[in-house]
Amino acid sequence: MPGSSGSRTGSRTGSAAKPVRWAADAVAVMREGARVRLDYSAQSLWRVDRMIEEIRREGAPYAAVEGALRGFGAYGGEVVVRWAGGEWVESGGGYWVRTWDGRFWDPLEEARRCFVGEGSLRLLCRDAMSSG
């Protein structure tokens, strides 16, 4: 989790704009390749979790899908940013989402956890949108 001394950058500027681009790329790939529309809604994360699960079931090696997982994680983070009043924060070479209540979330890691059957971007978003 980033410390208070980490670089704080808005969600649309500077190096923290990278996850926004990764998310947009994931949306484009899903639309063009899989014919799945992602609309940045919390409900769309059901589809993303299912896509990651399908990739896992196909037995794809992590190295082959690392970029796609990064895009899915960034998409999940962008959903949180848009719906839970968050912002992207870069710290220590990583990207986090900080929600309005000061909590930090790591959607990129959550996508990796989802790939090994231990995570869910949908549940991360639900938790981020809940108060507390």
Side-chain angles (χ1 to χ4, degrees), residues 109-121:
E109 177 60 26
E110 193 66 19
R112 289 186 278 275
R113 291 182 69 240
C114 199
F115 180 69
V116 298
E118 298 175 358
S120 167
L121 289 167

PDB file of all heavy atoms in Angstrom, residues 109-121:
ATOM      1  N   GLU A 109      -3.392  -5.989  -8.912  1.00  0.00           N
ATOM      2  CA  GLU A 109      -3.102  -7.222  -8.166  1.00  0.00           C
ATOM      3  C   GLU A 109      -4.356  -8.092  -8.057  1.00  0.00           C
ATOM      4  O   GLU A 109      -4.279  -9.318  -8.126  1.00  0.00           O
ATOM      5  CB  GLU A 109      -2.550  -6.898  -6.780  1.00  0.00           C
ATOM      6  CG  GLU A 109      -2.286  -8.113  -5.913  1.00  0.00           C
ATOM      7  CD  GLU A 109      -1.280  -9.095  -6.494  1.00  0.00           C
ATOM      8  OE1 GLU A 109      -0.408  -8.691  -7.289  1.00  0.00           O
ATOM      9  OE2 GLU A 109      -1.375 -10.294  -6.163  1.00  0.00           O
ATOM     10  N   GLU A 110      -5.510  -7.463  -7.911  1.00  0.00           N
ATOM     11  CA  GLU A 110      -6.757  -8.236  -7.806  1.00  0.00           C
ATOM     12  C   GLU A 110      -7.015  -9.019  -9.084  1.00  0.00           C
ATOM     13  O   GLU A 110      -7.496 -10.157  -9.036  1.00  0.00           O
ATOM     14  CB  GLU A 110      -7.934  -7.317  -7.485  1.00  0.00           C
ATOM     15  CG  GLU A 110      -9.170  -8.051  -7.052  1.00  0.00           C
ATOM     16  CD  GLU A 110      -9.033  -8.776  -5.715  1.00  0.00           C
ATOM     17  OE1 GLU A 110      -8.113  -8.447  -4.933  1.00  0.00           O
ATOM     18  OE2 GLU A 110      -9.844  -9.674  -5.455  1.00  0.00           O
ATOM     19  N   ALA A 111      -6.680  -8.456 -10.241  1.00  0.00           N
ATOM     20  CA  ALA A 111      -6.837  -9.187 -11.501  1.00  0.00           C
ATOM     21  C   ALA A 111      -5.904 -10.398 -11.521  1.00  0.00           C
ATOM     22  O   ALA A 111      -6.292 -11.482 -11.973  1.00  0.00           O
ATOM     23  CB  ALA A 111      -6.564  -8.275 -12.689  1.00  0.00           C
ATOM     24  N   ARG A 112      -4.681 -10.231 -11.013  1.00  0.00           N
ATOM     25  CA  ARG A 112      -3.757 -11.371 -10.933  1.00  0.00           C
ATOM     26  C   ARG A 112      -4.302 -12.433  -9.978  1.00  0.00           C
ATOM     27  O   ARG A 112      -4.230 -13.625 -10.253  1.00  0.00           O
ATOM     28  CB  ARG A 112      -2.370 -10.902 -10.474  1.00  0.00           C
ATOM     29  CG  ARG A 112      -1.623 -10.101 -11.526  1.00  0.00           C
ATOM     30  CD  ARG A 112      -0.204  -9.790 -11.101  1.00  0.00           C
ATOM     31  NE  ARG A 112      -0.092  -8.654 -10.217  1.00  0.00           N
ATOM     32  CZ  ARG A 112      -0.006  -7.390 -10.603  1.00  0.00           C
ATOM     33  NH1 ARG A 112      -0.037  -7.104 -11.889  1.00  0.00           N
ATOM     34  NH2 ARG A 112       0.100  -6.420  -9.732  1.00  0.00           N
ATOM     35  N   ARG A 113      -4.860 -11.981  -8.853  1.00  0.00           N
ATOM     36  CA  ARG A 113      -5.452 -12.915  -7.889  1.00  0.00           C
ATOM     37  C   ARG A 113      -6.648 -13.641  -8.521  1.00  0.00           C
ATOM     38  O   ARG A 113      -6.847 -14.832  -8.288  1.00  0.00           O
ATOM     39  CB  ARG A 113      -5.896 -12.176  -6.631  1.00  0.00           C
ATOM     40  CG  ARG A 113      -4.720 -11.661  -5.794  1.00  0.00           C
ATOM     41  CD  ARG A 113      -5.166 -10.970  -4.505  1.00  0.00           C
ATOM     42  NE  ARG A 113      -5.716 -11.987  -3.623  1.00  0.00           N
ATOM     43  CZ  ARG A 113      -6.975 -11.984  -3.165  1.00  0.00           C
ATOM     44  NH1 ARG A 113      -7.814 -11.023  -3.474  1.00  0.00           N
ATOM     45  NH2 ARG A 113      -7.393 -12.950  -2.380  1.00  0.00           N
ATOM     46  N   CYS A 114      -7.406 -12.936  -9.313  1.00  0.00           N
ATOM     47  CA  CYS A 114      -8.550 -13.525 -10.007  1.00  0.00           C
ATOM     48  C   CYS A 114      -8.066 -14.631 -10.956  1.00  0.00           C
ATOM     49  O   CYS A 114      -8.676 -15.690 -11.046  1.00  0.00           O
ATOM     50  CB  CYS A 114      -9.279 -12.424 -10.772  1.00  0.00           C
ATOM     51  SG  CYS A 114     -10.958 -12.801 -11.239  1.00  0.00           S
ATOM     52  N   PHE A 115      -6.943 -14.394 -11.605  1.00  0.00           N
ATOM     53  CA  PHE A 115      -6.388 -15.360 -12.546  1.00  0.00           C
ATOM     54  C   PHE A 115      -6.003 -16.671 -11.859  1.00  0.00           C
ATOM     55  O   PHE A 115      -6.098 -17.734 -12.460  1.00  0.00           O
ATOM     56  CB  PHE A 115      -5.177 -14.761 -13.268  1.00  0.00           C
ATOM     57  CG  PHE A 115      -4.531 -15.687 -14.256  1.00  0.00           C
ATOM     58  CD1 PHE A 115      -5.189 -16.032 -15.432  1.00  0.00           C
ATOM     59  CD2 PHE A 115      -3.275 -16.213 -14.020  1.00  0.00           C
ATOM     60  CE1 PHE A 115      -4.596 -16.893 -16.355  1.00  0.00           C
ATOM     61  CE2 PHE A 115      -2.683 -17.070 -14.934  1.00  0.00           C
ATOM     62  CZ  PHE A 115      -3.334 -17.408 -16.108  1.00  0.00           C
ATOM     63  N   VAL A 116      -5.595 -16.600 -10.605  1.00  0.00           N
ATOM     64  CA  VAL A 116      -5.241 -17.834  -9.879  1.00  0.00           C
ATOM     65  C   VAL A 116      -6.409 -18.341  -9.048  1.00  0.00           C
ATOM     66  O   VAL A 116      -6.261 -19.245  -8.236  1.00  0.00           O
ATOM     67  CB  VAL A 116      -3.967 -17.666  -9.011  1.00  0.00           C
ATOM     68  CG1 VAL A 116      -2.767 -17.350  -9.881  1.00  0.00           C
ATOM     69  CG2 VAL A 116      -4.153 -16.623  -7.937  1.00  0.00           C
ATOM     70  N   GLY A 117      -7.591 -17.754  -9.234  1.00  0.00           N
ATOM     71  CA  GLY A 117      -8.797 -18.246  -8.581  1.00  0.00           C
ATOM     72  C   GLY A 117      -9.007 -17.747  -7.171  1.00  0.00           C
ATOM     73  O   GLY A 117      -9.780 -18.323  -6.414  1.00  0.00           O
ATOM     74  N   GLU A 118      -8.342 -16.648  -6.791  1.00  0.00           N
ATOM     75  CA  GLU A 118      -8.435 -16.155  -5.420  1.00  0.00           C
ATOM     76  C   GLU A 118      -8.983 -14.741  -5.300  1.00  0.00           C
ATOM     77  O   GLU A 118      -9.000 -14.188  -4.209  1.00  0.00           O
ATOM     78  CB  GLU A 118      -7.053 -16.198  -4.761  1.00  0.00           C
ATOM     79  CG  GLU A 118      -6.479 -17.584  -4.665  1.00  0.00           C
ATOM     80  CD  GLU A 118      -5.059 -17.593  -4.129  1.00  0.00           C
ATOM     81  OE1 GLU A 118      -4.493 -16.513  -3.871  1.00  0.00           O
ATOM     82  OE2 GLU A 118      -4.509 -18.699  -3.987  1.00  0.00           O
ATOM     83  N   GLY A 119      -9.399 -14.131  -6.394  1.00  0.00           N
ATOM     84  CA  GLY A 119      -9.850 -12.744  -6.327  1.00  0.00           C
ATOM     85  C   GLY A 119     -11.082 -12.501  -7.173  1.00  0.00           C
ATOM     86  O   GLY A 119     -11.565 -13.390  -7.871  1.00  0.00           O
ATOM     87  N   SER A 120     -11.569 -11.255  -7.115  1.00  0.00           N
ATOM     88  CA  SER A 120     -12.730 -10.862  -7.897  1.00  0.00           C
ATOM     89  C   SER A 120     -12.737  -9.341  -8.024  1.00  0.00           C
ATOM     90  O   SER A 120     -12.796  -8.638  -7.017  1.00  0.00           O
ATOM     91  CB  SER A 120     -14.024 -11.321  -7.218  1.00  0.00           C
ATOM     92  OG  SER A 120     -15.134 -10.687  -7.809  1.00  0.00           O
ATOM     93  N   LEU A 121     -12.675  -8.855  -9.235  1.00  0.00           N
ATOM     94  CA  LEU A 121     -12.768  -7.407  -9.438  1.00  0.00           C
ATOM     95  C   LEU A 121     -14.148  -6.896  -9.060  1.00  0.00           C
ATOM     96  O   LEU A 121     -14.289  -5.793  -8.548  1.00  0.00           O
ATOM     97  CB  LEU A 121     -12.426  -7.055 -10.884  1.00  0.00           C
ATOM     98  CG  LEU A 121     -10.944  -7.214 -11.222  1.00  0.00           C
ATOM     99  CD1 LEU A 121     -10.722  -7.172 -12.716  1.00  0.00           C
ATOM    100  CD2 LEU A 121     -10.119  -6.146 -10.519  1.00  0.00           C
TER     101      LEU A 121
END
